[in-house]
Amino acid sequence: ADWLEVHPENYMSAGPVARELDIIRRDHALSLHGVGLSLGSSDGLCGRHLERLSELARRYAPGLISEHLSWSSIEGVHLPDLLPLPYTEESLAHVVDQVDRVQSALGRRILVENVSSYLQFVESTIPEWEFVREVARRAGCGILLDVNNIHVNAVNHGFDAHTFIDAIEPGSVGEIHLAGFQDTGDVLIDTHGDFVADPVWGLYQRALARLGPVPTLIEWDTDIPPLEALLGEAAKADRMLAECVAGRHAA
């Protein structure tokens, strides 16, 4: 594998698990992909959590640091999911302020990821793709574009996934995620537990055509298959990246 990505929350305490990250960082390029900052929570950021993230960033000098455009805490209670935001001007201003605080604490640009969702807020007045684009523009951060989440949300909420891809500004995306989902018959659920589906590969090709070659990660967190299967998925993404590079050179 060219590089590996970890959730920093798994390594914020000293011990055997933290020492495993020393080994990973010795042999591989590293990306930190946060799940605990709760950027959209009205509680605001947890100062201690941000300090621990900063300590990890200083120690391991990751190539990328990212977090989700979501919330997972309220009044000190932490919930085991990445919950969607209401896409309003108030929410947008709040998230931009939170991202600015994180970037100031880390002394570097972060990426923010679009999340999968299974409901929408009636209060929302901004399309999701415009919200994501505006957070990046106003906060000066980058985007971690999760192509699988775009497909999942497009099916669940009835919008055109191509509209989302086409709204994202080239140069703003620092990383792409691909993953598998589960179709329950009622909704698609972003499980990270299966092979990347054909429609998602198609969206990935469209994203590369618009954005150019971008570092790409295969997420697989549950029902993990043999390593050869994971590397096969990564190799497929590598081939598409190479075709994108070759096509741009030819042009």
Side-chain angles (χ1 to χ4, degrees):
D2 294 325
W3 56 287
L4 300 174
E5 188 160 271
V6 301
H7 295 317
E9 290 79 9
N10 291 335
Y11 301 95
M12 287 181 171
S13 298
V17 174
R19 289 195 291 272
E20 289 176 3
L21 190 57
D22 290 325
I23 298 171
I24 291 172
R25 184 64 182 91
R26 182 190 66 200
D27 297 331
H28 297 280
L30 184 66
S31 171
L32 298 181
H33 184 48
V35 293
L37 277 176
S38 194
L39 291 174
S41 173
S42 59
D43 287 355
L45 298 172
C46 171
R48 181 59 184 141
H49 187 100
L50 189 53
E51 288 175 8
R52 289 174 173 173
L53 179 61
S54 299
E55 291 167 5
L56 282 178
R58 286 192 296 269
R59 178 170 179 175
Y60 295 104
L64 298 168
I65 299 177
S66 55
E67 186 47 271
H68 297 80
L69 279 178
S70 64
W71 64 280
S72 55
S73 61
I74 184 168
E75 296 181 354
V77 176
H78 291 263
L79 307 169
D81 209 340
L82 301 168
L83 299 170
L85 296 164
Y87 297 129
T88 64
E89 287 293 338
E90 181 182 12
S91 178
L92 177 59
H94 175 69
V95 171
V96 167
D97 180 66
Q98 301 294 81
V99 172
D100 183 65
R101 287 187 58 197
V102 173
Q103 293 186 137
S104 295
L106 296 177
R108 61 182 289 172
R109 180 177 184 248
I110 68 167
L111 309 178
V112 293
E113 180 186 354
N114 56 296
V115 299
S116 58
S117 62
Y118 315 104
L119 57 81
Q120 294 178 302
F121 289 90
V122 295
E123 293 86 358
S124 292
T125 57
I126 305 171
E128 182 188 359
W129 47 91
E130 292 183 10
F131 189 93
V132 172
R133 184 184 63 202
E134 281 301 296
V135 169
R137 187 181 68 82
R138 298 186 191 184
C141 64
I143 295 172
L144 195 171
L145 192 67
D146 192 309
V147 175
N148 183 64
N149 287 351
I150 293 174
H151 175 70
V152 166
N153 290 2
V155 173
N156 289 347
H157 305 312
F159 64 79
D160 183 356
H162 292 173
T163 300
F164 197 125
I165 297 288
D166 294 345
I168 302 302
E169 297 177 1
S172 66
V173 177
E175 182 182 343
I176 289 175
H177 275 179
L178 300 171
F181 60 81
Q182 177 186 355
D183 187 347
T184 70
D186 296 316
V187 295
L188 302 186
I189 299 178
D190 176 39
T191 59
H192 299 177
D194 207 342
F195 290 92
V196 179
D198 288 342
V200 177
W201 284 120
L203 278 179
Y204 178 55
Q205 287 182 307
R206 187 180 184 99
L208 293 181
R210 174 167 176 76
L211 306 170
V214 177
T216 301
L217 182 91
I218 306 293
E219 292 187 295
W220 203 316
D221 303 336
T222 61
D223 297 324
I224 298 174
L227 179 60
E228 291 75 14
L230 295 174
L231 294 177
E233 291 288 89
K236 188 170 183 178
D238 280 341
R239 287 193 295 272
M240 293 184 180
L241 283 165
E243 290 169 1
C244 174
V245 172
R248 288 182 170 244
H249 287 166

